[in-house]
Amino acid sequence: MTRPLLHALFCGAFAFSASLSAPAADQLDVVASFSILGDMVREVGGDHVAVTELIGPGGDTHSFSPSPSDAGRLSNADLVVFNGLNFEGWMERLIDATGYAGELVIASQGVSPLTGAEHHRADDAHEKHDDDHAGHGHAHGGFDPHAWQDLRNAEIYVANIRDGLIAVDPENAEDYRANAERYTGEIRALDGRIRQLIDALPEEATVVTGHASFGYFSHAYGLRFIAPVGLSTESEASAANMGELVRMLRAERVSALFYENMTNPSTLRQLAEESGLPIAGTLYADALTADGEGSTYLGMMRHNAELLDQALSTAN
Ligand SMILES: [Zn+2]
């Protein structure tokens, strides 16, 4: 199927991006919305795929705005993989604009979504903390998109990606299955390791991050997270939220503050100054890093758990 109008519109930008990452003739051209999914697709697809990420390492998917060259990338893809749960609020418009009619993988399909209500944000500070997360009923802000922060959800992501690759390239189904199985084994092993690390931390250990991106981590591994803003980095901390948070940091046993690798650190710096608490490092939240241990999904999850372990086991 050709789309002459679109090609005319985006020809220049497309030609440029294609020259940067042209897939080999026998490779699938897979577009992943952001870096974490890009890494998962490479793990499952192996040599059969050439992956383009719309939002690369360190990028903020919440505040992303697609460009004509992104449209060009999509219109030429064999497969598009995105997170869903409204993480990429711009995706539907982008798909409409490009007329992309190929296979879509919603990586989070099948996970049990959490809602913003499960998060311990500053404005939830008056709520008693308990481990009963059954209260899905009183959502006040839609689903939490950050499902990859629970490695058991990553197993579902991997299965969805595997099935999408098989749907567009059934010839290599066996390879996709084998890669997914090997990768899932690594995911499970790391899940066990993280559970061990976090279980050993003091029960009251509490962590502050830039936005509410660790709800699934908290739900899965049992650590308490609070943040000055909600589920999207696009929201801004209100003076009331900041005031409430500083009061909480003083009143409760908050152990450490952490930067996130893709958000502006100014709010965190302000909180650290006002509370006198240390900033213990950078957690990888919504993006991989360009190099180092955070450049893969498993490396990022391992880094986060080890950093939390270091910061919280010595702080108490
Ligand atoms: Zn986020």
Side-chain angles (χ1 to χ4, degrees):
M1 192 188 334
T2 58
R3 303 178 186 94
L5 176 62
L6 188 82
H7 283 192
L9 279 171
F10 297 125
C11 187
F14 167 69
F16 180 67
S17 74
S19 70
L20 286 177
S21 60
D26 58 344
Q27 280 184 316
L28 289 184
D29 183 349
V30 182
V31 170
S33 58
F34 73 118
S35 52
I36 292 170
L37 291 183
D39 180 54
M40 290 180 176
V41 173
R42 280 185 201 97
E43 288 285 348
V44 181
D47 293 339
H48 300 306
V49 300
V51 183
T52 304
E53 294 156 4
L54 298 181
I55 299 124
D60 185 353
T61 304
H62 295 290
S63 60
F64 177 72
S65 175
S67 68
S69 67
D70 295 317
R73 287 177 179 125
L74 216 72
S75 66
N76 201 50
D78 298 306
L79 180 68
V80 172
V81 181
F82 67 111
N83 184 74
L85 297 173
N86 211 26
F87 185 50
E88 306 94 337
W90 38 267
M91 185 54 101
E92 216 168 292
R93 270 174 292 131
L94 183 61
I95 288 169
D96 283 351
T98 57
Y100 175 77
E103 191 78 17
L104 280 173
V105 170
I106 304 169
S108 69
Q109 195 155 49
V111 310
S112 301
L114 301 178
T115 66
E118 276 106 335
H119 292 270
H120 305 287
R121 299 199 307 271
D123 52 67
D124 293 334
H126 56 280
E127 286 178 13
K128 201 90 193 98
H129 174 64
D130 57 38
D131 290 323
D132 174 19
H133 292 279
H136 289 242
H138 67 293
H140 49 84
F143 290 124
D144 179 346
H146 308 91
W148 61 85
Q149 290 291 348
D150 175 350
L151 282 148
R152 287 167 310 181
N153 287 341
E155 288 187 38
I156 297 173
Y157 279 47
V158 166
N160 288 331
I161 290 166
R162 175 201 64 204
D163 292 349
L165 288 169
I166 291 173
V168 290
D169 183 24
E171 253 177 59
N172 291 308
E174 238 170 86
D175 288 351
Y176 298 135
R177 282 198 194 96
N179 290 345
E181 198 178 317
R182 180 216 18 102
Y183 190 40
T184 299
E186 294 174 23
I187 289 172
R188 282 188 189 155
L190 183 59
D191 182 65
R193 171 77 184 132
I194 291 181
R195 226 163 269 285
Q196 232 175 17
L197 283 174
I198 305 299
D199 277 355
L201 295 176
E203 192 144 330
E204 71 280 8
T206 300
V207 165
V208 179
T209 58
H211 78 300
S213 50
F214 285 87
Y216 290 89
F217 189 98
S218 174
H219 186 249
Y221 306 109
L223 197 61
R224 188 182 180 203
F225 286 78
I226 53 181
V229 302
L231 295 172
S232 171
T233 54
E234 290 203 288
S235 45
E236 271 180 42
S238 67
N241 269 8
M242 290 291 280
E244 180 69 20
L245 200 51
V246 169
R247 268 193 299 282
M248 259 184 98
L249 299 190
R250 287 184 180 139
E252 299 198 32
R253 299 198 49 174
V254 168
S255 326
L257 278 58
F258 292 88
Y259 291 131
E260 291 174 326
N261 59 320
M262 65 314 138
T263 53
N264 182 334
S266 62
T267 307
L268 254 285
R269 265 192 213 126
Q270 191 190 334
L271 277 175
E273 265 167 40
E274 290 185 27
S275 67
L277 281 163
I279 294 175
T282 300
L283 293 173
Y284 303 146
D286 295 10
L288 300 181
T289 55
D291 41 42
E293 58 183 347
S295 61
T296 67
Y297 169 66
L298 292 180
M300 140 188 167
M301 295 298 288
R302 191 179 302 112
H303 161 93
N304 287 348
E306 287 174 354
L307 178 62
L308 289 166
D309 174 57
Q310 257 173 24
L312 303 180
S313 54
T314 54
N316 285 273

